[in-house]
Amino acid sequence: MTASLEQLCRCHFAVDLGAARTRVYVKGAGLVVDQPSAAAVNTRNGALIAVGELAEKMKGRTPHYIRVVRPVSGGTVVDIEMAQRMLRHLLGDKMRRALRRKPILRAAACTPHDADPLAQRAAIETLVGLGARRVELVDTLIAAAVGCGLPVEQPEATMIMVCGAAATQVAVLSLGSIVTADRVPVGGEVVDHAIVQHLRHEHELILPSQSVRPLQLALAGNGLTAQGPATTEIHGRDVATGLARSVQVDTAAVRDAIQTPLTAILDGIGKVLRDCPPDLVADLADRGIMMVGGSALLPGLDQMLRQATGMPVHIAERPDVCAVQGLGAMLEGRIAPLALDPLGT
């Protein structure tokens, strides 16, 4: 944890800038923003047309002078000015006025594991542009572990896997710190892309970006497991003619198509376990892995991990908001640190 619990208790709001969604927690008010990290811009005059859900619906449906942009990529702010404009509109005038009344406005933000100094600086500058005088940074892995109720501060091993849109982070935690961790550049977007490419090559079908969620259709039923339906009907556009058509897709072939990106996640879990002390690995044999993040809901992913690792695998109750809820719990002072009194000599 970059910031201490004492420092976080002084913060007034917390932000989780994700590649897929942006979430804001305000102290005393709870989760006030949970919207897609998207903004629609008029390229002729630079005006901001829409943010959040409305901007996401515009993707792929706009005239040439309107562009839908994502100021956050892989948990890192890549366009600071646009991220600030997006956050201002998502918060709204009433909430921003309430925050500006604070004499010294303090903020907290999630950062991916092993984020480089430039990425950390971008997150700080984004919140400073909203009026924050001080910004505390918290590792996403620790925030998510706190948010899903894991005993992070105790001297016992807990393993968490944050399945994001652009990357998957795996870590073993003990005594409030990360013992060993790994970040795999494979997330829900990569799995979606693998399915889209499979349908394009095998069936010459192009899927619309918004009207079809390829994972929910191609992995219906039991998802990645062999007990799911043998075939699934998918609607799209023909590559050659451009006309709409439907095809019956073999779900077994789709499962094979996404095995390559999912294998990288298994390799990341194996690396973390190999680098972990034996005593902590023994704890994990009973406790297992806790999955959080929006991509944790990929149908059958938990069962695949269970079979590959032989360990119990659990999905958090609300996996998509665990990180920001963990930040909120720290802001509200609901987390008590483990008291370690130095021994007298």
Side-chain angles (χ1 to χ4, degrees), residues 55-64 66 68 208-212:
E56 185 77 6
K57 291 178 181 177
M58 290 182 179
K59 188 177 179 182
R61 303 172 183 270
T62 60
H64 68 279
I66 296 178
V68 177
S209 60
Q210 290 300 314
S211 60
V212 175

Side-chain angles (χ1 to χ4, degrees), residues 258-275:
I258 64 175
Q259 282 303 315
T260 300
L262 294 180
T263 300
I265 296 177
L266 292 175
D267 291 342
I269 294 174
K271 181 178 183 299
V272 168
L273 291 174
R274 286 193 299 271
D275 295 342

Side-chain angles (χ1 to χ4, degrees), residues 184-271:
V184 183
V186 173
E189 292 176 353
V190 176
V191 177
D192 277 358
H193 181 71
I195 294 176
V196 170
Q197 289 299 106
H198 168 75
L199 295 176
R200 186 185 181 104
H201 294 152
E202 297 297 325
H203 300 278
E204 298 184 347
L205 196 73
I206 300 176
L207 295 183
S209 60
Q210 290 300 314
S211 60
V212 175
R213 280 291 296 160
L215 283 178
Q216 276 71 9
L217 289 173
L219 300 179
N222 292 326
L224 302 179
T225 63
Q227 288 76 34
T231 60
T232 301
E233 186 178 15
I234 292 186
H235 308 278
R237 190 183 73 184
D238 190 273
V239 172
T241 65
L243 300 176
R245 69 183 177 92
S246 303
V247 296
Q248 289 289 334
V249 177
D250 183 8
T251 53
V254 174
R255 287 197 296 271
D256 292 339
I258 64 175
Q259 282 303 315
T260 300
L262 294 180
T263 300
I265 296 177
L266 292 175
D267 291 342
I269 294 174
K271 181 178 183 299

Side-chain angles (χ1 to χ4, degrees), residues 11-16 22-34 90-91 95 99 318 321 324-332 334:
C11 293
H12 302 101
F13 73 103
V15 178
D16 178 16
T22 293
R23 300 176 176 93
V24 181
Y25 187 103
V26 176
K27 194 173 186 177
L31 187 63
V32 298
V33 173
D34 185 1
L90 289 176
L91 280 170
M95 186 58 69
L99 290 174
R318 293 192 63 193
V321 296
V324 73
Q325 292 285 15
L327 279 179
M330 296 182 208
L331 262 62
E332 304 282 5
R334 295 197 297 265

